[in-house]
Amino acid sequence: MIAIKNYISGGLVEPKTQNYLEVINPATGEVIARAPDSGPEDAAAAVKSAQDAFEAWAKTPTEARAKILHNIANLIDLHREELAKLEALDSGKPYSLAYEKEIPRAAQNFRYFASAISTGQSECFPMGEQGFNYVLRPALGPVVCISPWNLPLYLFSWKIAPALAAGCTVIGKPSELTPLTAFKLSEICKEAGLPPGVLNIVHGYGAKIGEALTRNPAIKAISFTGGTETGKKIMGGLRNTFLPVSLELGGKNPALVFKDCDLELTVNELIRASFTNSGQICLCASRLYIEEPIYEAFKSLFLTKTKMLSVGDPFHTETSLGPLISKEHRLKVKGFVDRAEQNQCSLLLDGRSTMSAMQDGFYFGPTIIEGAALEDPINQQEIFGPVVTLASFKDFNEAMSLANGTPYGLSATVWTKDLSTAHRAAHQLDAGIVWINSWMVRDLRTPFGGMKASGLGREGGNEALKFFTETKNIFATF
Ligand code: NDP
């Protein structure tokens, strides 16, 4: 049993509440760890610690800050296997996914922002004989970074790394469902030489400590990734303040498959886009729209290949889909499928059958649904599970109105060999990120975020560094 502690002022500490919550392995339903069930007083201690550490960290030369971030990246690489195991244990994701993609990406997050501050350019605007302007970007202060359970260390580090690089001190709050890798990160940061108080990690329920973190007057910015409803709650609590907020929220991502696509490649990539991490990635495709002439061919190949995916133990090498994160989440996913069935949709593949076959964990198999109207909840609300709908479209305009017909605007994919169709669609889609003939190819230099109910602001590259800094213009005459 792992005993998780909060990380405050450079020390691993028990919560002042003396309360703990149980961390469950979703593959077995067994308790694998206990984590602090922190309260507002723990949140306040973490904020105070970040506040006390801020001045010295902001004044630390860029080179020294970058060196520590590089140390953190190197230690993540060194502990890659252990971190991947921890990630698979509390999130249920396949070990191979954590080992191959997510843990290396967490290291890369620190490495990228360490390099970005080492090579960043300064801005100066000469005004002839009058003098010159220059721009300073001082760190904002102590900031709060809140992350979800689906890509635990990947997303936690995606927020913390730019904040620390920019010179901010951080109070991090991982999801209470997946605290294991954040706990390990606190040990890593200490070993890497991060001064006490620069990063603080508070574990517990968002509902109990979220307010104490996000409404503390000492906080200078909030970077949040999670559900749209939680994002609204956070925004609602910030009325009458001018706090910078970055919100990375939910999605209901469309895929537009045109008749001239490379069918084999499209099906293979859309299976990856639909079912990676059991569909529990904000960028997963969940509505697949296929041009009429190839609808039946696409459906048949997509169905055949999806049936070849294996649902099972996250630690087995052949596993494609592990369990869903929790019993409650599986019930929610099942509820969507039940309602679609009641609404006379056809279930081409029904993942509910996995529930009775694999009773120990929170498993749910790939599910493919046909015949759902655009207005149906299954096409309008984020399910965050291995459930996709298929529908056909007649022409480009119908494809666009189907794709843009939800409150969300996170990502979209377009599948065609016609460059003009591809770019015309990419321009017209309501999406913060569009992939053409590919899915989830990321470059850390690019801006990342969603439109409409999928978020506010952008992370990644310079956007992230700018978010965590103030912009100051200074004019000097000769
Ligand atoms: P939640 O919104 O439930 O939780 C996200 C984080 O916020 C958790 O750490 C949670 O803590 C915390 N939290 C909950 N309530 C509050 C509150 N009132 N104030 C402050 N923090 C709070 O999302 P999930 O963890 O369920 O994650 C899934 C969601 O995340 C999906 O909607 C998905 O689309 C979205 N997401 C978006 C991404 C993007 O980049 N756009 C990327 C990945 C996921 P606790 O766990 O204790 O509730």
Side-chain angles (χ1 to χ4, degrees):
M1 168 88 74
I2 304 169
I4 292 172
K5 293 180 181 161
N6 287 334
Y7 181 54
I8 297 177
S9 302
L12 294 172
V13 296
E14 305 290 350
K16 290 180 196 289
T17 56
Q18 306 265 319
N19 292 332
Y20 297 87
L21 55 89
E22 291 180 335
V23 182
I24 308 282
N25 175 352
T28 60
E30 287 165 3
V31 177
I32 47 169
R34 63 162 217 186
D37 175 3
S38 304
E41 59 274 47
D42 297 296
V47 173
K48 171 82 172 57
S49 159
Q51 213 178 354
D52 292 346
F54 174 66
E55 203 178 322
W57 181 245
K59 283 185 186 157
T60 301
T62 306
E63 205 180 312
R65 282 209 304 268
K67 188 166 185 298
I68 294 172
L69 296 189
H70 276 300
N71 289 346
I72 298 173
N74 294 341
L75 285 167
I76 291 176
D77 282 342
L78 193 70
H79 293 283
R80 179 173 170 187
E81 203 176 310
E82 181 189 354
L83 285 162
K85 274 186 191 154
L86 293 173
E87 210 73 299
L89 261 185
D90 66 4
S91 76
K93 69 174 70 255
Y95 170 79
S96 56
L97 183 63
Y99 185 81
E100 297 300 332
K101 303 273 184 211
E102 297 182 20
I103 303 303
R105 167 60 192 273
Q108 184 57 14
N109 287 339
F110 283 100
R111 204 162 274 133
Y112 170 82
F113 287 106
S115 304
I117 54 169
S118 307
T119 56
Q121 311 274 312
S122 61
E123 297 153 87
C124 181
F125 303 90
M127 292 180 69
E129 292 300 304
Q130 270 183 289
F132 63 96
N133 287 285
Y134 61 96
V135 178
L136 292 182
R137 297 190 185 276
L140 287 177
V143 298
V144 167
C145 297
I146 301 176
S147 59
W149 47 261
N150 64 323
L151 306 169
L153 192 62
Y154 177 123
L155 287 174
F156 199 48
S157 54
W158 177 234
K159 299 183 168 304
I160 288 170
L164 296 178
C168 292
T169 52
V170 174
I171 303 98
K173 210 300 266 164
S175 167
E176 101 279 351
L177 296 168
T178 53
L180 294 184
T181 47
F183 179 49
K184 181 70 192 170
L185 183 69
S186 43
E187 286 175 24
I188 286 177
C189 287
K190 208 175 160 95
E191 195 183 335
L194 195 70
V198 171
L199 171 65
N200 305 274
I201 301 177
V202 196
H203 297 276
Y205 295 103
K208 284 191 189 168
I209 51 173
E211 205 170 295
L213 289 176
T214 56
R215 298 198 202 171
N216 188 311
I219 290 307
K220 301 299 178 216
I222 299 168
S223 173
F224 170 82
T225 298
T228 296
E229 287 312 310
T230 316
K232 279 185 196 164
K233 251 187 232 163
I234 291 175
M235 282 297 277
L238 297 179
R239 274 192 297 261
N240 302 325
T241 75
F242 299 105
L243 206 64
V245 183
S246 165
L247 299 174
E248 300 295 338
L249 308 175
K252 192 70 196 168
N253 311 308
L256 298 182
V257 181
F258 289 91
K259 63 178 185 238
D260 65 347
C261 72
D262 176 333
L263 191 63
E264 188 82 21
L265 172 124
T266 304
V267 167
N268 288 341
E269 283 294 281
L270 278 179
I271 286 177
R272 205 168 65 80
S274 305
F275 303 120
T276 298
N277 206 32
S278 296
Q280 300 169 121
I281 298 182
C282 54
L283 302 165
C284 276
S286 57
R287 299 178 293 135
L288 314 190
Y289 296 117
I290 301 110
E291 198 164 5
E292 267 177 9
I294 61 158
Y295 182 78
E296 289 302 327
F298 177 94
K299 179 169 105 177
S300 159
L301 197 57
F302 189 75
L303 202 54
T304 305
K305 291 201 174 205
T306 302
K307 283 179 184 167
M308 289 158 68
L309 297 176
S310 61
V311 181
D313 185 337
F315 287 94
H316 285 175
T317 46
E318 69 279 9
T319 293
S320 325
L321 286 81
L324 298 185
I325 185 68
S326 66
K327 203 181 212 172
E328 295 72 26
H329 187 56
R330 183 169 71 165
L331 263 182
K332 181 184 146 199
V333 173
K334 178 180 176 294
F336 276 103
V337 179
D338 292 344
R339 251 174 295 155
E341 192 174 42
Q342 285 152 18
N343 289 349
Q344 314 304 324
C345 300
S346 308
L347 269 82
L348 304 178
L349 195 59
D350 185 351
R352 293 175 299 185
S353 54
T354 325
M355 293 174 70
S356 45
M358 304 174 81
Q359 284 178 355
D360 288 340
F362 313 134
Y363 291 95
F364 200 94
T367 301
I368 304 174
I369 294 174
E370 190 182 45
L374 179 61
E375 303 73 35
D376 280 1
I378 201 139
N379 275 329
Q380 288 295 319
Q381 295 173 26
E382 186 183 47
I383 301 171
F384 222 53
V387 179
V388 293
T389 59
L390 301 189
S392 64
F393 65 85
K394 281 193 184 56
D395 56 26
F396 184 88
N397 289 340
E398 189 187 12
M400 283 305 129
S401 59
L402 286 167
N404 290 339
T406 76
Y408 293 99
L410 187 54
S411 73
T413 54
V414 183
W415 306 88
T416 173
K417 287 184 188 150
D418 184 326
L419 272 179
S420 158
T421 304
H423 289 289
R424 203 150 59 95
H427 280 239
Q428 291 185 29
L429 281 161
D430 295 342
I433 182 161
V434 178
W435 283 286
I436 296 170
N437 296 322
S438 59
W439 176 71
M440 211 170 161
V441 180
R442 292 282 302 126
D443 180 329
L444 303 199
R445 293 169 300 182
T446 58
F448 177 86
M451 295 165 61
K452 293 161 49 177
S454 290
L456 188 67
R458 293 293 180 270
E459 297 187 341
N462 285 337
E463 306 276 339
L465 288 173
K466 280 185 183 163
F467 175 75
F468 289 113
T469 51
E470 194 53 89
T471 305
K472 198 183 246 184
N473 175 207
I474 298 166
F475 172 75
T477 191
F478 292 118

